[in-house]
Amino acid sequence: RENDSSFTRLDLCERNIGALGVSELADALGENTSLTELKLRDDSFGTRGAIYLADALRVNASVADLCLSESCIGDKGVSKLAGALRVNASIAKLDLEYNDIGDGGMSASALADALRANASLESLLMGANYLGDASVGVLVDALRVNASLTELGLFLNRIGDGGASVLADALRVNTSLAKLDLSENSIGDEGVSELADALRLSSSLKGLHLADNRVGDGGVRALADALRVNASLAELDLSENHIGDEGVRELADALRLNSSLKVLHLDENRVGNGGVSVLADALQVNTSLTELYLSGNHIGDEGVSVLADALQVNTSITNLGLYRINFGDQGEVLEGRVRKFIEINEQAASPHVALGQKVELILDSGHDTINDAVSLALAGLERFSESDQRREILHSLLGSPEHGKDVGSFIDLAMWKELYRHAAECGAGRALVNLLRAQPTLCEHRGEEDHGGLYPFMLLATMPTAEVGGVFEVLLTKPDLVASAITMT
């Protein structure tokens, strides 16, 4: 009541102040103008307490975040709060989870009316209230006109295909909802297909949570079709469903085209090595996905092997869930390699830096071949176009005398010329000097396209000043070549 401007948050969760305590609090809220966040979770103040709060919210203009979960409010109490929302203009987040609302419909209708009139509420959490399809249908109908709500939580509400279909109809016209949580319901392929169809049109939805439903390969196929055209969805949670390799193949194909999805949950499904293999192929192309969760699936050593190969190339994945999987000895070794690649992705300043660090890791590893490192470097040179990016990749491959010696002893003349072409274009002098040190006989190559014996001297023209001395050092080991070039000039 004193309106101390520094007093903005009040947490009374699990304090059991009861309806009488809420009555006193509501009286104070009628006068207070500083409190913005009020938490009353797990208090069991019931319908009476909710009525007291509703009366206060009709006049209070400061509280923006109100948590009333697990408080036994019931259908009538929620209806009273919904009535207050019709006039309140400050509440932005309302948490009514676990409140025994049921499927009576009165509170759903009242909340729908409030959403049609209210323009401030952004987050409405109604999880674990067992609303059922009919009540959910009444509630979400308001989404057709509401333009403020960005988050709607409806987990554990006995929603089936019918409720999902009605919700999809509303999503086809809604332009504000960004996060929708439908976890722990009974939505199958039919309902998910309806939601997927709505997703094709949506430009606002960024998070869709369908964990622990009845989604199979058919529903995932519809979602994959939507992902091929949708450009807004950033997180998709399909964990704890019935998705197998066929469904994952559809998702993998969509990931080759999609550039918005950042987080994909596929934990606790029926994904095997075959599904992971096509998913790994997609990861070598996709550059937007940053988190992939595959824990609790049927993945063996073969699956983790293809993931390791994919993450050698992929530079965007920074979190990969592979828990609760029975790997063999080789799988555990490969998982360690996967973790190292992900660590590089996470810590590197940019994608080309990450790829360069992987090239060095492969060169320094006893488990890999030089061919792997050269192939990865060449892939990076084709992928990145900026000179500084390409130069850093070449220096990762050839920047040290040791690496230059290893690579120089492995590659043939055609490969050397290809590396020279890339290095000349981006000025990677140090890389070429180390390669020439390792293979000085390359200086002796004369061909029409190499300007005869002037070839090594033409090379000097492409070198940064700091590297010219290194090239002369190599040339001085070939006095006959130098003399020949001087005679020709």
Side-chain angles (χ1 to χ4, degrees):
R1 287 192 177 97
E2 294 179 359
N3 277 319
D4 182 349
S5 60
S6 65
F7 186 67
T8 60
R9 186 177 188 274
L10 179 59
D11 188 343
L12 295 173
C13 295
E14 302 180 25
R15 297 295 182 89
N16 295 315
I17 65 174
L20 183 60
V22 170
S23 174
E24 293 290 331
L25 179 62
D27 287 343
L29 285 177
E31 303 174 18
N32 183 276
T33 59
S34 64
L35 193 69
T36 60
E37 184 178 355
L38 176 58
K39 305 291 186 183
L40 289 170
R41 178 179 54 80
D42 196 12
D43 194 276
S44 301
F45 51 76
T47 300
R48 273 206 310 149
I51 293 173
Y52 293 140
L53 284 172
D55 289 341
L57 291 177
R58 292 178 183 275
V59 294
N60 179 277
S62 65
V63 175
D65 186 345
L66 180 59
C67 176
L68 304 176
S69 60
E70 301 179 70
S71 295
C72 304
I73 293 174
D75 202 34
K76 184 178 179 181
V78 170
S79 297
K80 292 293 185 180
L81 288 167
L85 283 178
R86 293 174 62 88
V87 296
N88 180 283
S90 66
I91 296 290
K93 181 176 181 179
L94 178 60
D95 185 348
L96 294 172
E97 293 174 350
Y98 295 96
N99 266 302
D100 303 321
I101 296 173
D103 58 0
M106 179 173 67
S107 59
S109 179
L111 280 170
D113 287 342
L115 289 176
R116 292 185 182 96
N118 183 284
S120 65
L121 192 66
E122 298 173 1
S123 174
L124 177 59
L125 305 181
M126 294 286 293
N129 278 303
Y130 306 102
L131 296 177
D133 283 353
S135 292
V136 166
V138 170
L139 174 64
V140 301
D141 185 67
L143 294 179
R144 294 174 176 274
V145 294
N146 180 279
S148 66
L149 202 68
T150 60
E151 179 181 15
L152 179 59
L154 291 171
F155 75 87
L156 200 60
N157 266 298
R158 295 176 181 167
I159 302 172
D161 289 340
S165 179
V166 175
L167 183 51
D169 285 341
L171 289 177
R172 290 185 179 96
V173 294
N174 179 276
T175 58
S176 65
L177 199 67
K179 181 178 179 180
L180 177 61
D181 188 354
L182 296 171
S183 304
E184 299 180 77
N185 283 294
S186 301
I187 304 171
D189 287 352
E190 182 181 343
V192 168
S193 296
E194 291 288 340
L195 290 168
D197 186 65
L199 190 60
R200 295 172 67 90
L201 303 174
S202 174
S203 60
S204 64
L205 199 65
K206 292 179 171 56
L208 178 59
H209 299 262
L210 291 165
D212 196 7
N213 275 277
R214 298 175 181 175
V215 186
D217 292 339
V220 171
R221 185 179 301 110
L223 285 169
D225 285 342
L227 288 175
R228 291 184 179 96
V229 295
N230 178 277
S232 66
L233 196 71
E235 182 172 6
L236 178 61
D237 188 350
L238 294 169
S239 55
E240 298 182 71
N241 278 288
H242 311 306
I243 302 166
D245 286 353
E246 182 182 343
V248 170
R249 286 190 183 94
E250 295 288 343
L251 280 175
D253 187 62
L255 287 176
R256 293 177 175 273
L257 300 174
N258 181 279
S259 60
S260 65
L261 198 67
K262 297 184 181 301
V263 183
L264 177 59
H265 300 262
L266 290 169
D267 312 80
E268 306 293 342
N269 275 283
R270 301 169 182 174
V271 184
N273 290 329
V276 169
S277 180
V278 292
L279 194 56
D281 287 342
L283 291 180
Q284 297 195 42
V285 178
N286 181 283
T287 58
S288 61
L289 199 70
T290 60
E291 298 180 38
L292 175 62
Y293 299 94
L294 295 167
S295 299
N297 281 289
H298 310 309
I299 304 170
D301 290 4
E302 179 185 342
V304 74
S305 177
V306 295
L307 283 172
D309 290 341
L311 287 170
Q312 182 173 290
V313 178
N314 178 283
T315 56
S316 63
I317 294 289
T318 57
N319 203 335
L320 177 63
L322 286 175
Y323 302 104
R324 301 184 300 282
I325 292 176
N326 295 320
F327 294 133
D329 292 341
Q330 182 63 21
E332 291 180 0
V333 172
L334 289 167
E335 187 188 12
R337 182 180 176 189
V338 165
R339 298 295 175 200
K340 184 61 180 178
F341 286 152
I342 289 175
E343 182 182 341
I344 290 174
N345 286 353
E346 186 177 15
Q347 296 179 0
S350 60
H352 76 277
V353 172
L355 193 139
Q357 290 177 1
K358 291 176 186 178
V359 169
E360 291 187 81
L361 178 67
I362 294 169
L363 285 173
D364 293 335
S365 172
H367 303 291
D368 300 291
T369 67
I370 294 172
N371 185 54
D372 290 332
V374 173
S375 297
L376 181 57
L378 288 172
L381 292 171
E382 293 299 325
R383 173 179 169 185
F384 299 103
S385 59
E386 297 296 326
S387 293
D388 61 332
Q389 298 172 333
R390 294 155 60 81
R391 188 162 52 245
E392 187 152 358
I393 291 171
L394 279 163
H395 286 163
S396 297
L397 180 68
L398 300 163
S400 71
E402 294 81 9
H403 288 166
K405 182 178 180 180
D406 291 340
V407 174
S409 64
F410 169 78
I411 63 175
D412 58 18
L413 181 62
M415 180 68 72
W416 185 88
K417 290 174 68 176
E418 183 174 358
L419 288 172
Y420 166 71
R421 176 177 62 83
H422 287 295
E425 290 173 355
C426 66
R430 178 160 44 93
L432 279 176
V433 167
N434 285 325
L435 188 54
L436 287 171
R437 282 177 177 146
Q439 288 284 5
T441 56
L442 291 170
C443 292
E444 297 177 353
H445 176 69
R446 294 176 176 85
E448 183 178 346
E449 72 279 10
D450 297 324
H451 308 283
L454 293 178
Y455 175 73
F457 296 93
M458 296 295 292
L459 181 64
L460 288 173
T462 70
M463 292 292 101
T465 303
E467 310 298 346
V468 169
V471 177
F472 273 118
E473 174 192 325
V474 176
L475 291 176
L476 289 174
T477 67
K478 297 291 178 182
D480 293 343
L481 180 64
V482 174
S484 174
I486 293 173
T487 300
M488 290 179 63
T489 58

